[in-house]
Amino acid sequence: MKAAHVTRFPDNALGKAATQFLRKYWLSTINVIYGDNMLGKYFLQKGAVHRSSEVIYEREGSAFSLIKPEMVN
């Protein structure tokens, strides 16, 4: 089955590395666009005993958060 990833990555080495990672798993990256300079970050702090896990997702100002509909074909 063919699959493609549609997103916007930062236009820097981290964005290019993310694209290469997707290609490693045979995902088409023809619809990946580049711009700005930050990749969103996702942190998971695993819980222990009586403390639950916590997720922190930082995407404000990331390349993807600044995507506009007209940027995607």
Side-chain angles (χ1 to χ4, degrees), residues 5-66:
H5 192 71
V6 179
T7 194
R8 184 171 187 236
F9 285 145
D11 193 11
N12 58 27
L14 189 56
K16 303 299 184 204
T19 302
Q20 290 300 325
F21 179 82
L22 295 173
R23 288 181 184 151
K24 178 180 171 183
Y25 292 98
W26 301 99
L27 275 134
S28 170
T29 56
I30 196 165
N31 295 311
V32 172
I33 57 176
Y34 299 93
D36 294 300
N37 61 7
M38 193 181 96
L39 188 67
K41 294 174 233 38
Y42 181 94
F43 299 94
L44 170 63
Q45 183 179 24
K46 290 188 176 184
V49 188
H50 298 289
R51 186 175 49 85
S52 61
S53 296
E54 182 179 358
V55 172
I56 300 169
Y57 183 43
E58 295 180 349
R59 73 174 219 140
E60 186 176 349
S62 69
F64 185 79
S65 74
L66 300 172

